[in-house]
Amino acid sequence: MQSLYDFNYEQLGEYALAQGWKKYRGHQLFQWMYRKRIKDIDEMSDQKKEIRTFLKERFCLSPLTLKDKQVSKDGTTKYLFELADGSLVESVLMLYDYGRSICVTSQVGCNMGCAFCASGLLKKKRDLSSGEMVAQVMYVQQDLDALQERLSHIVVMGTGEPFDNYDNVMNFLATVNDDRGLAIGARHITISTCGVVPKIYAFAKAHTQYNLAISLHAPNDALRDTLMPINRAYPLNELMKAVRCYGEENNRRLTFEYILLKGVNDQPQHAKQLAELLKGVHAYVNLIPYNAVDEHGYQGVSRNEAMRFYDALMKMGVRCTIRKEHGGDIDAACGQLRAKHMKVQGVKQ
Ligand code: SAH
């Protein structure tokens, strides 16, 4: 059954018109869903019974059911959801000084095959619909409603490659960003891509205010080819051309994510190459502590080693930060909880 969450504000108005209803009914439904955050269509008390019945016969609200929830000592909360077709997806709530952030999943599994990542252990089964992504945000927001707190930030960094599901992701973000609903600020929303170059151009030309993060993880093609298969399709010179286009079109700083992998991409020459690669680009580097994935055999670096790499970059004029770790005591790394459940269930893909 389709979810009402699949419609953005405009689409809901058009749907109302197409049924011969007044357009403002679309606005009312949107308010019920995202301002009052009802869990059942029958709670729309100002809608006639016939309308509610009509909607209930055709749509659900949330297409998710909760399968598991783990809360870390630092408050990081991992949600495991089941979709209507039995697929499992994860979302993570993270608590920061500046607000509450959710990490959203964009696909069931992932085909990008990055050598270090847990998500790619399970190949892509399908894209998530816009509504299935909206529903992750809504579930967590409804949890927070009990505490009178609100989600202020979204990162599209869960399982999946958002630019391999571009239209649905953009539709999802339009819904949660909408002022008439959750109103999560565009500048508080970040999309992370492994480097699907044609979609970086599309995104650059869309002129949204969402932040863009590029998963780089290697400063030269030879190494990036081994870590991230996408690099064989779109090598670094093409990626950097697209990144420059984004900068020209949007005049905004973007982020490069760089996981430090012991003995692989953490040496002084890598810092040097990275500084060279990013010369003249309005960007900063986010150094990410590696969440070890047993199956892959890579190791992270110590805090001191990370600091050395950080210092080397800063000395060469590259602005960078070291990402704080969250949920170290739960299965909070990308795809870990889902992979564990699938193993327990004996699911093979
Ligand atoms: N496909 C997108 C978004 C999902 S991954 C992308 O590649 O950007 C989000 C980020 O987490 C990426 O930078 C990814 O490389 C990183 N990541 C994947 N596995 C990780 C792990 N085990 N530890 C730390 N970061 C990881």
Side-chain angles (χ1 to χ4, degrees):
M1 193 182 244
Q2 208 194 334
S3 165
L4 272 183
Y5 290 150
D6 278 318
F7 295 109
N8 65 32
Y9 183 87
E10 278 74 27
Q11 290 163 344
L12 210 48
E14 282 157 24
Y15 184 80
L17 279 178
Q19 307 317 310
W21 307 337
K22 292 264 176 2
K23 196 172 175 192
Y24 76 82
R25 199 175 295 286
H27 176 80
Q28 290 175 334
L29 299 186
F30 201 78
Q31 296 280 302
W32 278 112
M33 285 153 62
Y34 299 109
R35 282 291 164 91
K36 306 207 174 86
R37 300 199 267 280
I38 52 165
K39 294 187 178 165
D40 192 313
I41 290 172
D42 267 331
E43 290 176 57
M44 299 179 177
S45 52
D46 63 354
Q47 303 294 308
K48 286 192 230 104
K49 185 144 197 321
E50 304 88 82
I51 300 268
R52 281 184 271 138
T53 308
F54 180 91
L55 290 173
K56 278 195 302 186
E57 281 168 5
R58 288 162 183 79
F59 302 100
C60 60
L61 265 179
S62 181
L64 309 177
T65 48
L66 185 70
K67 287 294 272 188
D68 194 5
K69 184 171 160 181
Q70 293 185 351
V71 184
S72 151
K73 282 192 220 99
D74 63 16
T76 304
T77 306
K78 185 125 193 176
Y79 296 81
L80 182 75
F81 298 114
E82 186 173 56
L83 304 174
D85 66 353
S87 299
L88 298 174
V89 297
E90 299 169 17
S91 315
V92 186
L93 166 70
M94 289 162 292
L95 314 183
Y96 292 93
D97 302 338
Y98 56 76
R100 305 279 173 261
S101 177
I102 179 176
C103 178
V104 171
T105 285
S106 59
Q107 297 178 315
V108 181
C110 183
N111 275 346
M112 297 299 127
C114 297
F116 45 80
C117 177
S119 298
L121 292 173
L122 302 164
K123 286 274 154 270
K124 177 172 105 174
K125 204 160 106 187
R126 67 176 175 85
D127 290 331
L128 290 195
S129 70
S130 168
E132 286 169 331
M133 291 180 268
V134 171
Q136 296 173 52
V137 174
M138 287 303 293
Y139 193 100
V140 173
Q141 179 57 61
Q142 284 164 337
D143 248 13
L144 289 176
D145 281 339
L147 310 168
Q148 299 194 329
E149 288 180 0
R150 79 177 272 274
L151 275 174
S152 53
H153 291 68
I154 295 180
V155 293
V156 189
M157 292 191 185
T159 298
E161 169 47 49
F163 279 0
D164 185 37
N165 185 16
Y166 186 83
D167 293 342
N168 290 348
V169 166
M170 294 304 269
N171 200 56
F172 146 58
L173 293 178
T175 298
V176 294
N177 170 236
D178 199 296
D179 282 348
R180 295 152 292 196
L182 292 175
I184 298 176
R187 283 164 184 261
H188 291 181
I189 293 174
T190 302
I191 307 178
S192 175
T193 178
C194 66
V196 183
V197 162
K199 290 298 190 292
I200 296 177
Y201 284 109
F203 182 74
K205 303 225 149 80
H207 299 287
T208 67
Q209 300 290 309
Y210 310 139
N211 302 299
L212 181 62
I214 309 272
S215 298
L216 193 62
H217 307 324
N220 65 64
D221 280 321
L223 182 55
R224 198 161 189 269
D225 278 351
T226 66
L227 292 177
M228 303 178 71
I230 187 81
N231 199 66
R232 293 174 217 150
Y234 305 111
L236 284 172
N237 64 345
E238 287 187 34
L239 177 63
M240 294 313 290
K241 239 189 263 166
V243 159
R244 287 201 170 82
C245 166
Y246 172 83
E248 282 159 22
E249 291 280 340
N250 296 276
N251 194 24
R252 298 203 48 181
R253 189 172 69 160
L254 49 73
T255 309
F256 286 96
E257 294 158 285
Y258 196 98
I259 304 172
L260 286 167
L261 299 167
K262 198 178 181 65
V264 175
N265 65 357
D266 62 338
Q267 300 301 304
Q269 79 262 24
H270 298 123
K272 221 186 238 167
Q273 290 166 3
L274 193 52
E276 197 56 43
L277 186 71
L278 302 187
K279 210 170 254 170
V281 182
H282 189 37
Y284 79 99
V285 176
N286 195 357
L287 298 170
I288 306 178
Y290 183 53
N291 250 316
V293 176
D294 296 345
E295 287 82 346
H296 290 319
Y298 289 104
Q299 263 183 295
V301 301
S302 69
R303 181 85 198 163
N304 274 347
E305 288 163 328
M307 279 311 292
R308 262 204 296 274
F309 200 83
Y310 171 94
D311 284 340
L313 283 180
M314 290 294 261
K315 269 193 199 126
M316 290 182 280
V318 180
R319 290 162 59 92
C320 52
T321 51
I322 301 182
R323 183 181 290 173
K324 190 169 163 257
E325 267 185 287
H326 285 263
D329 54 335
I330 58 173
D331 298 302
C334 325
Q336 278 185 345
L337 185 59
R338 173 169 176 262
K340 194 155 103 183
H341 269 256
M342 311 264 292
K343 252 187 248 163
V344 172
Q345 292 175 350
V347 180
K348 281 220 175 77
Q349 281 198 335

